[in-house]
Amino acid sequence: MSILEVKNLKKNFGSLEVLKGIDFSLEKGESLAMIGASGSGKTTLLRCLNFLETPTAGQILVNGDVIYDASDRKAASEAEIRKNRLHFGMVFQSFNLFPQYTALRNCTLAKELIAKERPDYKENKKQILEEITAEGESILTSVGLQDKMEYYPHQLSGGQQQRVAIARALMLQPDILCFDEPTSALDPELTGEVLKVIRGLAEKKTTMVIVTHEMQFARDVSDQVLFLDGGMVAEYGTPEQVFEHPWEERTRQFLERYFNQ
């Protein structure tokens, strides 16, 4: 059974049709790289998965369960969206850290807020918060920030801030970790340290959907590659198939433009 299935997903902004019926699936432990030119719909698709945008049509299934069906009005309720969003961990291209909180607090805040809804929270508040803090420290250590936990975002480099953002997404133990061009705001040196963390997650068989303009990285780290063109899936297959033997002429043209830059 696929951990993620997307069926005939569409998204309109007024009369503009941005996604035109997207279909793909992803197995547990696999990484899917989404590539394509600017404006092809990659980020919109990722935002639909995380319910930052509401799909106009189609279905999203996680572990075989329909978590979103555009034909069901209840699916767009705030309560349903909050619950279903927990299946996905989101890492944005611009970090989106809270400037007033330390790296550790940025990492633990969401889990602390969710913990307050537990029926035993008041009774066991101290123990619960200690456990969350310990988990945050462990995850920040795993991304190489063991000595930066009490630093504020303005004291961190862009690469370090992005690693805090990755740790924050991992804190809620999502089924699928989503990256929206995680290195586009970084210089080459800092890009390398973030990609190293993502490669490590792939080696640990973390299920990921990665929007990236780093073609060599997409080729190396992914199990499946989805090439979007004009809001449609133009190519979908293994890295070898898409990069070495693309079926579509528009895929070949896109890759030639990239690798000949």
Side-chain angles (χ1 to χ4, degrees):
M1 178 188 299
S2 299
I3 193 170
L4 174 65
E5 292 180 79
V6 173
K7 296 184 178 181
N8 195 33
L9 201 72
K10 299 180 181 181
K11 177 60 181 176
N12 297 345
F13 291 101
S15 61
L16 179 63
E17 191 177 18
V18 177
L19 299 178
K20 304 173 183 178
I22 304 296
D23 294 279
F24 70 89
S25 63
L26 186 63
E27 299 300 312
K28 183 176 178 61
E30 286 189 340
S31 296
L32 171 74
M34 287 199 291
I35 63 173
S38 297
S40 60
K42 305 185 301 298
T43 293
T44 298
L45 175 53
L46 205 64
R47 290 174 65 86
C48 283
L49 291 181
N50 196 46
F51 303 103
L52 293 171
E53 302 289 352
T54 303
T56 306
Q59 291 183 324
I60 300 172
L61 293 82
V62 175
N63 293 319
D65 296 325
V66 177
I67 67 164
Y68 182 83
D69 186 335
S71 64
D72 181 1
R73 292 184 179 180
K74 293 181 181 178
S77 70
E78 183 62 30
E80 283 297 303
I81 287 174
R82 283 186 63 197
K83 180 181 71 175
N84 292 329
R85 188 173 280 154
L86 293 175
H87 291 291
F88 300 89
M90 190 77 172
V91 180
F92 301 92
Q93 54 185 293
S94 55
F95 325 136
N96 289 11
L97 301 181
F98 291 106
Q100 71 272 34
Y101 295 141
T102 64
L104 179 58
R105 190 76 200 287
N106 265 284
C107 192
T108 61
L109 181 60
K111 198 155 191 173
E112 291 173 10
L113 294 174
I114 291 172
K116 289 182 179 181
E117 300 177 6
R118 289 173 49 171
D120 65 336
Y121 179 75
K122 288 185 179 179
E123 181 181 356
N124 300 303
K125 177 180 177 180
K126 182 179 179 181
Q127 180 183 346
I128 290 170
L129 293 180
E130 286 177 351
E131 290 173 353
I132 291 173
T133 297
E135 186 178 353
E137 291 172 346
S138 176
I139 291 177
L140 283 171
T141 298
S142 75
V143 297
L145 294 174
Q146 60 273 10
D147 58 342
K148 305 290 184 182
M149 294 185 191
E150 298 305 319
Y151 282 48
Y152 290 87
H154 74 272
Q155 297 174 300
L156 301 172
S157 69
Q160 290 167 342
Q161 290 185 64
Q162 192 62 293
R163 282 186 278 159
V164 173
I166 294 171
R168 177 180 59 187
L170 289 169
M171 272 293 293
L172 296 179
Q173 299 177 323
D175 293 296
I176 301 123
L177 195 57
C178 300
F179 294 87
D180 184 12
E181 298 196 12
T183 62
S184 63
L186 304 176
D187 62 35
E189 181 180 351
L190 299 180
T191 291
E193 68 183 54
V194 172
L195 294 184
K196 181 180 178 181
V197 171
I198 301 175
R199 289 179 195 274
L201 292 171
E203 290 172 1
K204 294 176 182 177
K205 297 299 181 183
T206 304
T207 308
M208 296 186 287
V209 177
I210 307 165
V211 170
T212 182
H213 60 276
E214 299 281 348
M215 293 300 112
Q216 191 60 54
F217 170 71
R219 189 176 189 168
D220 293 344
V221 80
S222 63
D223 299 285
Q224 302 289 334
V225 178
L226 188 150
F227 170 57
L228 280 180
D229 184 63
M232 297 183 291
V233 178
E235 197 99 31
Y236 177 41
T238 65
E240 181 182 10
Q241 184 265 304
V242 172
F243 287 102
E244 300 293 340
H245 310 287
W247 293 314
E248 298 290 336
E249 178 61 28
R250 50 189 167 171
T251 312
R252 287 192 286 271
Q253 291 174 353
F254 171 80
L255 293 173
E256 285 174 3
R257 286 197 301 272
Y258 178 85
F259 285 110
N260 290 333
Q261 287 178 351

